[in-house]
Amino acid sequence: MKLSQASEIQDFGVSDLDLEKILGVALRNGGALAELFFEQTASTRILYEGQKLDRIMNGTDRGVGLRIIFEGRSVYGYTTNFAESSLIALAEGLSEAVQTKQGKRGLGQVHWRKSVQPIAAMGHYQVHSSPRKIDLSRKIDITRRADAAARRVLPQAKQVSSVVLDSLRKILILNSDGLLATDSKTYLQAMVQVVGERKGRVETAYETDGGYVGFEFFDQVSPESIAEKAARRVDLLLDAKPAPSGTMPVVIAAEAGGTMIHEAVGHGLEADLACNGLSVFQNKLGQQVSSPLITVIDDGAMPGKRGSYSFDDEGTPAQKTILIEKGTLKNYMVDRLSAMKFDLMASGNGRRESFRHKPIVRMTNTYIAPGQDDPAQIVRDTAWGVYVKAMGGGQVNTVTGDFVFAVTEAYLIEKGKLGAAIRGATLVGNGPKVLLTVDRVGNDLGFASGTCGKDGQGAPVTDAQPTLRVPELTVGGEVPIQTYWK
């Protein structure tokens, strides 16, 4: 079967292109692999702000990226012009940058199978009611309902911003080894940000929910529930006490999601960092790197999660990868380039923000597996300290493992019970050292979705963890620890 006759090629509207020729031109100076990545994304974003409809953004983005891998390196370029002459010119330009010992002029070798066997989408994110087919007025009503709910909870709110975003992303991937993969994914997200002021103090809270789901999502999760959660947090923070400062026991609730595991550990287990001397976890496969209570997993095949897909942006099927098992480092997350460079197996973690970016190693849905402890008992067994219920952003130095995280909702622990709410706390520590000291792991599991930034690219991810207790962790706050506990 000719490549252009494949139904996947015809459905994407590029059957008039001589794709084999384009890849062959890309390899004319040598190289191990040439890869084409076609993408088309249609999206709508509605913003309701200032108690009125502020703006509606609707558009389509379409383009193709070309990558050539050679001798452990790669070159990448893209275009929004789908004309064959444009793609040939792109391939010629990139091939000039390829310098290999075996390179020679002429068409490179493209290893198409006699019978192309496309990689099929798994369909674990099928939707019942596509947001792309929902009338605009219903989407606007979702944002209006969220705004009204936030203001009911916090009448003195200075500002409420409510957003509904939906998109349909279609991709087609093919490479010179004969891989052909195509997928279509629908995404829906609701976001609410609330700003409040009381007695001269201003606080902000942000809540979001959604995923690869249809409009039926709002039958299970109402926009009111998302908005009310953000408004209640602002109300709480406006009356909260300043956070203590010092080293103390910290219990991190499952509800906080997996920000800590994502930042403090996850990035350091990405092969492009771990195998290039840029991670504290380099050369530690098979070694103990955390408490035996800790198992860390990255799973891009979890149904419906924000970091899920059928296959990554290189065509490698999504899979469950055990990174740390009962404290022992078992695997890294690996993309195709790292696999070729360091003789590893690709794990389905090659991701890109769009056709404008080359794929790099990224997390998907990363979590600490649940343990055996009752979460409530963990708190009862903690005489004093801080209970973290929600976390904001964070950053990590992957070479050293040092991290700092913002805390958006937390409480004092006093005699095994939750006490007053506190504000302005940060968590400061070293990822591997913290994981080595974790002494309690709950039997629950809480998820949080977001967008991860790396090398100038954003990628949708989900993080999760059970309730954890760290016996000693540095909390950055405004008041010396002795003020609360003597």
Side-chain angles (χ1 to χ4, degrees), residues 124-127 131 165-167 185-191 208-218 221 226 302-308 365 449-450 460-462:
H124 57 237
Y125 39 67
Q126 294 296 316
V127 303
L165 167 69
D166 67 86
S167 65
K185 297 171 66 175
T186 296
Y187 183 72
L188 176 67
Q189 184 178 18
M191 299 166 280
T208 182
D209 207 344
Y212 293 106
V213 292
F215 209 73
E216 66 274 5
F217 167 78
F218 291 116
V221 180
I226 299 171
M302 298 181 77
K305 298 301 181 185
R306 180 163 160 78
S308 298
N365 307 302
S449 62
V461 295
T462 299

Side-chain angles (χ1 to χ4, degrees), residues 360-478:
I360 56 177
V361 189
R362 307 300 296 272
M363 283 173 273
T364 61
N365 307 302
T366 312
Y367 63 98
I368 298 177
Q372 302 296 321
D373 289 319
D374 172 27
Q377 189 63 47
I378 294 176
V379 175
R380 288 194 291 268
D381 292 343
T382 305
W384 65 283
V386 167
Y387 180 83
V388 176
K389 189 175 181 180
M391 296 178 68
Q395 57 185 7
V396 62
N397 181 329
T398 59
V399 177
T400 63
D402 294 332
F403 65 78
V404 58
F405 305 131
V407 176
T408 56
E409 184 177 348
Y411 302 82
L412 300 176
I413 300 176
E414 300 175 301
K415 297 180 180 180
K417 296 181 180 179
L418 295 187
I422 57 175
R423 54 174 166 76
T426 58
L427 302 182
V428 182
N430 179 274
K433 290 180 180 179
V434 167
L435 286 189
L436 281 168
T437 62
V438 169
D439 65 351
R440 300 290 290 273
V441 179
N443 57 15
D444 51 352
L445 188 63
F447 290 86
S449 62
T451 299
C452 169
K454 177 181 175 182
D455 292 354
Q457 297 190 42
V461 295
T462 299
D463 312 311
Q465 67 164 65
T467 298
L468 302 173
R469 185 173 74 177
V470 183
E472 292 187 349
L473 185 58
T474 299
V475 177
E478 302 177 34

Side-chain angles (χ1 to χ4, degrees), residues 335-354:
D335 66 344
R336 185 180 290 271
L337 178 59
S338 296
M340 298 170 70
K341 186 175 180 179
F342 302 110
D343 194 24
L344 300 170
M345 290 291 293
S347 60
N349 289 92
R351 309 184 64 187
R352 64 185 100 199
E353 181 176 322
S354 74

Side-chain angles (χ1 to χ4, degrees), residues 57-70:
M57 290 170 281
N58 190 47
T60 299
D61 195 20
R62 184 171 183 257
V64 55
L66 174 61
R67 177 174 62 155
I68 306 171
I69 294 178
F70 63 102

Side-chain angles (χ1 to χ4, degrees), residues 1-21:
M1 179 180 71
K2 251 186 98 61
L3 181 62
S4 60
Q5 295 175 342
S7 60
E8 290 78 10
I9 301 294
Q10 295 178 341
D11 290 344
F12 211 87
V14 293
S15 57
D16 58 328
L17 301 177
D18 190 339
L19 299 169
E20 294 175 72
K21 179 181 178 181

